[in-house]
Amino acid sequence: MAICFHESSKEFHLYNKDISYILTVLENGQIGHIYFGKKLRDRESFAHMMNFRPRPMAVCAFENNMAFSMEHIKQEYPVYGSGDMRYPAVEVLQENGSRISEFVYSGHRIYKGKPEFSGLPATYVEQEDEADTLELYLEDRVSGTEVTLYYTIFTELPAIARSVKFTQTGEQTIVLERAMSMSVDFPDKEFEMIELTGAWARERAVKMRKLEHGVQAVYSMRGCSSHNYNPFLALKRAETTESDGEVYGFSLVYSGNFLAQADVDTYNVTRVTMGIHPNTFSWELKRGESFQTPEAVMVYSDHGLNGMSQTYHTLYRSRLARGYWRDRERPILINNWEATYFNFNEEKIMKIVRTSKELGIELFVLDDGWFGKRDDDTSSLGDWYPDLKKLPEGIAGLAKKVEAEGMKFGLWFEPEMTNKESRLYREHPDWILATPGRKVSVGRNQYVLDFSRDEVVDAIFGQMKKVLTEAPISYIKWDMNRSMSEVYSASAGAQDQGKVMHQYILGVYRLYDMLTKEFPEILFESCASGGARFDPGLLYYAPQCWTSDDTDAVERCKIQYGTSFVYPVSSMGSHVSAVPNHQLLRNTSLEMRANVAYFGTFGYELDPNRLTDEEKQEVKEQIAFMKKYRRLIQYGTFYRLLSPFEGNEMAWMVVSEDRKQAVVGYYKILQSVNGPYKKVRLQGLDPDRKYHVRRIEEGQYEEDLYGDELLWYGLNVSDSSSGENREVYNGRNGDYQSRLYLLESIE
Ligand code: GLA
């Protein structure tokens, strides 16, 4: 059994072959934390790892024990106000106005497998022996509030999933004002915190900072997980690199407001908490009612940052994502957004479709502009019926024509929004989030539908279902293009307004759930002005996500590199677009654009009819390459090799499970002259195997090398820039260069 309860010490030890997580029932009945990290051999007690010494000024639990102060005890799910002065994991407002709680141990259950949490996305198991679960039961006797702390340890992965359930059993009505998904106290502060940060078109840049006393946090209060910070943070040791050293990852399976913080006290204890952002959150619980928090996934790696990321990739790709597309190679698609924007008709679309088919593309996606009277972004969101002026035979007619050409058809929706200029808004002006008597702020000319209300979600479902039933639709891009403001639900009472932002997200999940159940073979790609909702919550429903509206190859090096800290290659929507690039106005070669986009779901976002014959030939070859290697790229083990945040180069690679095949991408942003010789040490190869190494463009480079040479010496990537550069410019050998190497075992 991977979870032991030691009766005499009242300690719980959760372990697998890689990690240990140890907690204990404290003398006052609350839950103390002892250890999280590399696996320790089990023993009856680890109490020697705890310190109890009297400290001046400490507020203590017992009159006869000046050493027992919650401020100085590491804990699992702390409260504020009875000795601990730091930010708590939970705060409960009671009828008498008090916010003091004391959650004490009342029992536990250990079992094989993992529970499901209705209405919420979460990791799962397919066989019971894939995980073990501990449910710890706590209760606050004064308020009559019960808490269940869930811990699931995965058998084959160094990962623990946590969440918390509250049930009000007492007479009084309580209000949860803070209900975090997890909290853990580390005994030191010798960490660097990693966060993924940015803004529209520059999502998930990797930022590191040394932890210091005080609170360092990332968060969203926008109603979505956001471009600005991802619901993730990691703590690494100073010496930890991509391939070596310790790191702890924390990731929240949630798509709305979140808070992830490291609170370092002046005794150098680091408290990490993560969950729904407490700002504006309040959840009333009457007797008999429950509240379940989203899930947080904690990962430990002593194999560097790549080790942490690979654990998330495996878990999220195979036990968070679900359904028909989970394990399938993703179709190579073409999306018309950057080709036409709103300005298209059936004829224009069919021209794109026919040429795409010739190039080998498998799926055509019709983006924004097909519905209502949507000729720009000022109208029609919420009117999900085709604009017959643009598409005389509707979506059904167009989709059938696309299928007749031998391609699949996909469609864009933005289900959560409306414009004032729409039939939906005219009929239901009270369906938007708006605070009575106040102006409603606007974003991209649109307003947020109140998805906390079932009837709103059901009405949108009805409209979408009609379109999806009438036409052969294989793919949906589900967009979301503004943050929330003046949040208030016309259907909720005053007491329930603090629930609205979370209920909204539950409404989003419910619509996804209904659609994926009704149309199980449709491939969903989530999107939020690019990557404002690239989070684990949505991966549960949509196995891929549009990574960023920025399709420039150089920018994408950074965006996809940062995204890979948590999210698998199979989840990253990545397209080759036209040059000059529409966001940056930068020119890069077609080769560079594809070499970056291969490390994702791969597709095109341009008008193929504007390509020259030579470019069309190149695109055909790119598509043929991706078809041959996408299983390896999307489902292999991914390693980051050189960070674009640290220099002029970037490199990454994927290795097949049997280590017989690998693809390496190497990218150089600016060209140099008479520079150093360069090599990149590879990862994940079998040191004893001989590999045939070649660049994918024929005749460029070929060599047979042993795995050990590639691992310990490296792949030689020197070129004419290590010396006097006498090459003639050919469109791809100046700035913004890239190379793709294929490694195939020959023994
Ligand atoms: C968002 C998406 C884009 C595109 C447009 C359409 O910005 O991120 O990919 O779909 O909306 O309006």
Side-chain angles (χ1 to χ4, degrees):
M1 190 51 127
I3 301 179
C4 295
F5 175 58
H6 295 293
E7 192 72 52
S8 66
S9 57
K10 295 217 164 7
E11 290 174 15
F12 296 88
H13 186 185
L14 292 71
Y15 63 90
N16 60 24
K17 63 185 190 328
D18 299 308
I19 57 169
S20 279
Y21 194 92
I22 305 168
L23 43 126
T24 185
V25 180
L26 296 164
E27 209 177 318
N28 65 352
Q30 295 187 32
I31 306 298
H33 174 80
I34 298 184
Y35 175 82
F36 176 31
K38 197 170 169 69
K39 194 229 158 129
L40 303 178
R41 85 191 65 234
D42 188 38
R43 56 187 296 179
E44 193 57 32
S45 174
F46 294 89
H48 51 278
M49 291 184 183
M50 305 188 78
N51 293 293
F52 292 96
R53 282 182 204 283
R55 282 193 191 268
M57 294 296 291
V59 174
C60 300
F62 305 108
E63 286 189 347
N64 58 358
N65 184 354
M66 290 301 131
F68 196 94
S69 165
M70 295 312 279
E71 181 174 3
H72 300 292
I73 294 174
K74 287 174 270 302
Q75 297 171 63
E76 281 300 308
Y77 204 64
V79 292
Y80 164 82
S82 44
D84 193 338
M85 311 297 172
R86 294 165 289 179
Y87 280 100
V90 50
E91 203 147 51
V92 181
L93 174 63
Q94 294 143 64
E95 277 183 356
N96 65 0
S98 163
R99 290 183 173 80
I100 300 299
S101 308
E102 188 182 12
F103 291 106
V104 299
Y105 172 80
S106 64
H108 70 268
R109 187 161 88 90
I110 294 170
Y111 53 91
K112 290 221 152 292
K114 184 175 191 295
E116 284 175 23
F117 303 115
S118 155
L120 277 171
T123 57
Y124 59 90
V125 293
E126 289 197 331
Q127 311 289 336
E128 281 207 332
D129 61 2
E130 290 177 12
D132 292 272
T133 296
L134 164 67
E135 291 184 9
L136 259 183
Y137 307 121
L138 316 177
E139 61 182 3
D140 178 64
R141 292 187 186 118
V142 174
S143 64
T145 310
E146 287 181 2
V147 169
T148 305
L149 304 182
Y150 294 87
Y151 299 82
T152 295
I153 180 164
F154 293 89
T155 312
E156 296 295 336
L157 289 169
I160 294 175
R162 289 181 62 174
S163 70
V164 181
K165 186 168 91 184
F166 294 85
T167 306
Q168 181 57 6
T169 57
E171 291 293 335
Q172 65 170 297
T173 296
I174 58 155
V175 181
L176 295 175
E177 294 189 322
R178 176 188 278 256
M180 304 305 275
S181 298
M182 57 91 34
S183 177
V184 64
D185 288 346
F186 289 92
D188 67 274
K189 71 167 186 56
E190 298 318 310
F191 291 112
E192 288 169 1
M193 173 169 143
I194 304 176
E195 63 195 56
L196 302 175
T197 166
W200 175 80
R202 53 180 174 85
E203 296 91 336
R204 289 172 298 285
V206 179
K207 286 264 151 60
M208 299 196 195
R209 51 168 137 173
K210 199 171 164 340
L211 281 192
E212 290 297 349
H213 293 156
V215 173
Q216 29 257 285
V218 291
Y219 67 94
S220 169
M221 300 196 291
R222 294 164 186 271
C224 61
S225 49
S226 90
H227 296 105
N228 310 68
Y229 303 106
N230 202 254
F232 162 79
L233 69 80
L235 298 182
K236 75 183 254 305
R237 299 296 181 185
E239 65 278 9
T240 300
T241 64
E242 283 288 5
S243 52
D244 293 296
E246 274 197 311
V247 55
Y248 296 85
F250 302 90
S251 164
L252 190 67
V253 186
Y254 191 56
S255 312
N257 289 350
F258 74 91
L259 173 65
Q261 73 179 29
D263 177 3
V264 183
D265 72 13
T266 50
Y267 302 93
N268 296 353
V269 170
T270 302
R271 170 170 294 173
V272 176
T273 41
M274 185 176 240
I276 293 179
H277 202 299
N279 184 54
T280 73
F281 170 86
S282 65
W283 201 279
E284 190 183 85
L285 286 182
K286 295 198 178 71
R287 185 180 188 151
E289 290 179 343
S290 294
F291 177 78
Q292 179 77 48
T293 73
E295 174 170 281
V297 178
M298 313 188 298
V299 164
Y300 170 78
S301 161
D302 61 345
H303 294 103
L305 304 177
N306 274 319
M308 172 195 71
S309 300
Q310 286 161 4
T311 300
Y312 280 122
H313 295 172
T314 305
L315 186 62
Y316 286 177
R317 190 176 57 211
S318 63
R319 292 293 181 270
L320 177 64
R322 300 171 301 162
Y324 181 83
W325 285 100
R326 186 188 75 179
D327 303 326
R328 283 186 158 77
E329 294 171 17
R330 301 303 161 73
I332 295 173
L333 67 81
I334 187 154
N335 178 304
N336 73 309
W337 179 241
E338 290 194 12
T340 66
Y341 295 103
F342 295 102
N343 183 16
F344 60 82
N345 55 30
E346 191 184 282
E347 195 190 327
K348 222 173 182 179
I349 293 300
M350 285 313 294
K351 260 175 117 176
I352 294 178
V353 168
R354 282 185 208 108
T355 310
S356 303
K357 172 67 190 165
E358 280 166 29
L359 299 175
I361 294 172
E362 297 160 317
L363 165 71
F364 169 77
V365 178
L366 185 61
D367 210 279
D368 194 355
W370 59 267
F371 50 90
K373 295 195 185 87
R374 181 109 166 146
D375 294 323
D376 54 37
D377 64 18
T378 60
S379 84
S380 302
L381 292 171
D383 293 349
W384 302 110
Y385 46 84
D387 177 355
L388 298 178
K389 268 212 254 131
K390 286 182 188 169
L391 307 172
E393 292 171 46
I395 287 297
L398 176 62
K400 281 178 198 147
K401 283 185 191 159
V402 173
E403 289 240 325
E405 293 293 332
M407 277 177 74
K408 296 287 179 196
F409 181 80
L411 197 58
W412 182 96
F413 285 94
E414 191 173 355
E416 300 154 68
M417 300 288 158
T418 192
N419 300 101
K420 287 202 171 162
E421 194 50 55
S422 70
R423 191 195 286 175
L424 180 104
Y425 182 78
R426 276 191 296 276
E427 286 172 9
H428 302 284
D430 66 323
W431 276 12
I432 62 169
L433 293 173
T435 303
R438 302 198 181 273
K439 73 167 174 35
V440 195
S441 304
V442 63
R444 208 197 188 199
N445 303 303
Q446 65 196 50
Y447 298 85
V448 186
L449 287 173
D450 182 357
F451 262 42
S452 74
R453 290 168 69 172
D454 283 350
E455 71 269 36
V456 177
V457 173
D458 291 341
I460 297 296
F461 173 68
Q463 285 202 50
M464 291 177 80
K465 184 176 166 180
K466 184 164 187 297
V467 180
L468 300 177
T469 313
E470 285 171 2
I473 292 175
S474 306
Y475 162 108
I476 288 178
K477 177 174 171 186
W478 176 326
D479 211 337
M480 198 287 293
N481 282 311
R482 67 157 285 187
S483 304
M484 297 181 191
S485 63
E486 291 90 17
V487 174
Y488 190 97
S489 173
S491 76
Q495 272 310 308
D496 290 326
Q497 294 300 332
K499 294 182 174 177
V500 173
M501 289 183 109
H502 179 58
Q503 279 172 334
Y504 176 99
I505 293 295
L506 296 180
V508 171
Y509 292 153
R510 194 167 72 82
L511 182 54
Y512 259 114
D513 194 56
M514 290 192 286
L515 288 167
T516 49
K517 280 200 176 114
E518 185 88 24
F519 305 98
E521 290 189 13
I522 291 183
L523 172 59
F524 281 81
E525 178 156 339
S526 69
C527 173
S529 295
R533 243 178 10 191
F534 205 129
D535 60 60
L538 285 192
L539 280 187
Y540 184 69
Y541 305 97
Q544 57 191 62
C545 176
W546 182 227
T547 314
S548 176
D549 275 348
D550 187 343
T551 55
D552 172 69
V554 176
E555 296 284 297
R556 275 296 186 119
C557 283
K558 288 185 178 166
I559 296 168
Q560 291 173 217
Y561 192 94
T563 304
S564 80
F565 269 63
V566 187
Y567 306 99
V569 173
S570 59
S571 68
M572 281 187 236
S574 54
H575 302 168
V576 172
S577 60
V579 288
N581 171 268
H582 290 199
Q583 295 77 39
L584 275 280
L585 312 181
R586 180 182 278 143
N587 280 297
T588 55
S589 68
L590 191 50
E591 178 190 48
M592 170 82 173
R593 282 172 272 154
N595 283 352
V596 177
Y598 289 140
F599 289 83
T601 58
F602 197 68
Y604 291 81
E605 181 117 1
L606 44 70
D607 185 345
N609 297 306
R610 291 194 206 138
L611 298 171
T612 63
D613 288 347
E614 207 179 310
E615 286 169 332
K616 280 186 187 152
Q617 186 51 36
E618 197 175 336
V619 167
K620 273 188 191 164
E621 286 162 22
Q622 292 174 347
I623 290 168
F625 168 82
M626 191 57 182
K627 285 182 179 166
K628 192 159 174 207
Y629 292 102
R630 65 183 151 183
R631 162 122 337 248
L632 165 63
I633 295 176
Q634 291 168 353
Y635 294 93
T637 308
F638 177 83
Y639 292 86
R640 291 176 301 271
L641 302 174
L642 289 177
S643 169
F645 299 100
E646 287 167 16
N648 187 41
E649 296 161 295
M650 191 275 270
W652 51 29
M653 68 184 291
V654 281
V655 184
S656 64
E657 209 183 322
D658 62 10
R659 301 199 289 174
K660 287 185 178 168
Q661 265 195 338
V663 179
V664 179
Y666 169 78
Y667 311 81
K668 194 200 289 183
I669 309 309
L670 296 181
Q671 178 58 310
S672 53
V673 66
N674 201 16
Y677 295 116
K678 299 246 164 158
K679 61 189 175 59
V680 182
R681 286 170 84 173
L682 303 188
Q683 299 264 334
L685 300 175
D686 179 347
D688 299 324
R689 247 175 222 293
K690 197 181 217 178
Y691 295 89
H692 181 64
V693 186
R694 66 175 174 90
R695 278 183 59 184
I696 62 164
E697 318 100 89
E698 304 235 329
Q700 289 285 342
Y701 162 87
E702 266 184 281
E703 212 167 356
D704 291 345
L705 295 165
Y706 281 101
D708 57 2
E709 300 170 77
L710 291 160
L711 291 166
W712 313 128
Y713 174 76
L715 176 68
N716 189 348
V717 293
S718 299
D719 58 18
S720 58
S721 67
S722 305
E724 190 181 358
N725 198 339
R726 283 169 179 258
E727 280 183 8
V728 175
Y729 179 61
N730 65 10
R732 50 175 77 171
N733 57 354
D735 292 343
Y736 320 130
Q737 283 189 37
S738 67
R739 286 175 233 162
L740 220 66
Y741 297 88
L742 200 60
L743 280 67
E744 268 155 322
S745 164
I746 46 175
E747 273 172 8

